[in-house]
Amino acid sequence: MSAQADTTFRSMGSDVRLLIGYPLRHGEPPATEAAAEERTFIEDFAARMSRFIPESDLSALNGDPRAEVPASSLLRNVVRAGVWAAELTGGLVDPTLVSELEAVGYSRSLADREPASLQEALAAAPPRRPAQPHPAKRYRHVEVDDRAGVVRRPPGVRIDSGGVGKGLVADMVAFRLCGYSRYVVDCGGDLAVGGVEALVRPYEIEVEHPLTGETVHTLRVSSGGVATSGLNVRVWRTPDGFSHHLLDPASGRPAWTGLIGATALGTSALEAETLTKAALLLGPAGARRVLAKQGGLIVHDDGDVELVGPIDQPPRMLLRVAARAA
């Protein structure tokens, strides 16, 4: 059975897609109304949590000179998610690299900017090596206090919501849709999947190759999260070469690790997003370790695709959803 609602729109610099089944409980709005409500929720999240919007909650936090800053519940959750991702990855997925991102040219949204050629960028890239955590590990000095309603961090330490925000909002919307038979919340490549009907007839998530756009694998998913990241989405020319949005925290420069794409499965979209970024940053050997438990795939610089961990082979088509890189 197809979804009762299928809505696609632009937000957070990416395509967002909502597939929602039929209501299971009396009083739940029809799927089309639920889709409209969740679109409003996501767009509000995007406006309040973007570092590119001067009036956003996140920009207000980043510009505040105080060490202790009052913060909304939503902002506290975003900061907490960023710190959690950093702790899970030993500092590789670091939310405090705003100055470094700006220094390599990512000071404004690149959503409407045509990416540079990834193949040309790879040809000009430095020798490949795994990324390393920043020795200062600034994220350890960021604290969220829900009782006091504040975020504490040393003045000058700024937070980037980045992909962690997309994973978090996908999970938040998924929680709000638990009264529906099935759902997929796709926020720019970070997917939350669930619903009782999906347990019986899972979704098939098509993973696209970052160089060709062709489907290279199909994941059979009934619940949890899936995230796909690739260097092809946000890569741009600079006066001295090319940059992209995944930085090596230790150097503050774009990470060239031998991988150009990764897909991860997780218990949530936030976890999957964190694992896929860690896989890309670690390179082939580290990615295999990160993805071994829950499964995923990696795409090497030469375009080869490697399956990692417990991944089913593509089954008969049930309901296909394209998983594009973020």
Side-chain angles (χ1 to χ4, degrees), residues 29 84 126 156 163 217:
W84 177 86
H217 193 72

Side-chain angles (χ1 to χ4, degrees), residues 114-147:
E114 186 70 21
S117 166
L118 178 55
Q119 290 176 318
E120 291 182 18
L122 289 170
R128 289 15 174 199
R129 64 179 185 182
Q132 298 285 337
H134 192 285
K137 294 191 175 181
R138 294 178 298 228
Y139 66 89
R140 290 184 171 176
H141 303 289
V142 179
E143 177 186 354
V144 177
D145 187 335
D146 287 320
R147 183 182 295 272

Side-chain angles (χ1 to χ4, degrees), residues 5-236:
D6 187 347
T7 300
T8 301
F9 56 95
R10 292 286 294 178
S11 186
M12 299 180 287
S14 305
D15 289 330
V16 176
R17 187 180 181 191
L18 305 175
L19 292 92
I20 306 173
Y22 57 85
L24 296 175
R25 301 180 297 212
H26 178 72
E28 294 282 5
T32 53
E33 291 184 18
E37 290 178 3
E38 299 313 321
R39 175 174 181 169
T40 298
F41 178 80
I42 291 171
E43 290 175 338
D44 177 70
F45 180 99
R48 294 173 60 188
M49 297 299 119
S50 173
R51 68 179 173 91
F52 304 122
I53 300 176
E55 301 80 15
S56 73
D57 294 6
L58 182 60
S59 292
L61 170 65
N62 286 340
D64 199 303
R66 295 172 292 180
E68 180 176 290
V69 183
S72 66
S73 174
L74 185 63
L75 180 56
R76 297 197 305 273
N77 283 332
V78 168
V79 174
R80 181 184 293 109
V83 173
W84 177 86
E87 292 175 343
L88 181 68
T89 61
L92 280 176
V93 181
D94 190 334
T96 69
L97 302 179
V98 175
S99 295
E100 290 85 346
L101 286 166
E102 292 174 344
V104 300
Y106 199 9
S107 57
R108 61 181 181 84
S109 174
L110 302 175
D112 298 324
R113 183 173 173 178
E114 186 70 21
S117 166
L118 178 55
Q119 290 176 318
E120 291 182 18
L122 289 170
R128 289 15 174 199
R129 64 179 185 182
Q132 298 285 337
H134 192 285
K137 294 191 175 181
R138 294 178 298 228
Y139 66 89
R140 290 184 171 176
H141 303 289
V142 179
E143 177 186 354
V144 177
D145 187 335
D146 287 320
R147 183 182 295 272
V150 300
V151 171
R152 301 187 183 97
R153 82 287 181 263
V157 171
R158 294 183 288 165
I159 304 296
D160 177 44
S161 57
V164 169
K166 294 175 185 176
L168 175 63
V169 75
D171 289 332
M172 295 173 75
V173 172
F175 179 79
R176 291 157 60 94
L177 294 176
C178 64
Y180 292 82
S181 61
R182 61 192 297 137
Y183 56 80
V184 173
V185 183
D186 178 0
C187 292
D190 290 359
L191 285 73
V193 179
V196 294
E197 188 183 356
L199 295 175
V200 178
R201 294 189 300 109
Y203 286 97
E204 288 188 336
I205 310 297
E206 295 180 336
V207 181
E208 294 183 354
H209 197 287
L211 289 176
T212 67
E214 298 176 349
T215 298
V216 294
H217 193 72
T218 303
L219 301 169
R220 192 168 186 260
V221 181
S222 59
S223 65
V226 182
T228 296
S229 294
L231 303 189
N232 58 305
V233 178
R234 291 179 177 85
V235 57
W236 62 92

